[in-house]
Amino acid sequence: MIEYVMVSGVVMCLLMVMLLLVNSTIMEGPANRLSYVAFTDVGNGISTRIVDVYAIAPRDGELSTRMEIPPDIAGKVYYIEIGSGDAASGVNQDVTVYRDSLSTKVALAGIGASKGVVGNTSSRGMKRISYSSKGY
């Protein structure tokens, strides 16, 4: 009887340790990998749209376009920030897509030297790219 209780106790302890590790190992790891790849895709899509707006931007006037991005990735909201990638020069610009401790940076396809691009949004926020020759 004592042997049965001891073996059952050890097995129960191992089961509890395994249950605590399952969430981070089996569920969060693949979700974070999926999120990283999806963040890179979203960053590339936004970078492409910004370059498209730059390519057709009028010399005098305004231009505004909507963009469609997923409202959530792996069931969670994420944030997008466009700004200076190199703080010293401010020339290179990045599209940063992040959530919690997971983030990815995508280069803004080479227009940072000629046009300054700034802004931020969330996946559930306003998703519009606007250009004005007078500036904002």
Side-chain angles (χ1 to χ4, degrees):
M1 177 75 171
I2 294 175
E3 182 181 351
Y4 175 75
V5 171
M6 289 176 55
V7 169
S8 296
V10 169
V11 169
M12 291 300 288
C13 288
L14 291 175
L15 180 66
M16 286 190 297
V17 169
M18 188 184 76
L19 287 176
L20 293 173
L21 295 175
V22 156
N23 187 35
S24 64
T25 305
I26 295 177
M27 298 169 85
E28 286 183 19
N32 286 343
R33 273 185 254 127
L34 168 78
S35 296
Y36 181 80
V37 171
F39 287 174
T40 303
D41 290 342
V42 168
N44 283 328
I46 290 173
S47 175
T48 301
R49 289 178 185 103
I50 290 172
V51 171
D52 289 347
V53 167
Y54 171 75
I56 62 172
R59 184 172 295 163
D60 294 319
E62 296 181 359
L63 179 67
S64 184
T65 183
R66 269 184 33 149
M67 62 180 175
E68 295 291 328
I69 58 174
D72 57 15
I73 293 177
K76 296 182 181 176
V77 176
Y78 57 95
Y79 304 94
I80 302 162
E81 187 172 314
I82 302 162
S84 179
D86 183 13
S89 67
V91 173
N92 297 326
Q93 291 188 327
D94 292 331
V95 176
T96 305
V97 183
Y98 63 94
R99 173 187 72 219
D100 301 330
S101 63
L102 183 65
S103 72
T104 183
K105 288 189 176 195
V106 177
L108 191 58
I111 67 168
S114 57
K115 296 284 184 193
V117 180
V118 294
N120 58 17
T121 187
S122 70
S123 59
R124 301 226 173 122
M126 181 180 282
K127 299 169 210 87
R128 183 170 295 279
I129 299 173
S130 299
Y131 167 81
S132 174
S133 60
K134 295 176 186 174
Y136 288 107

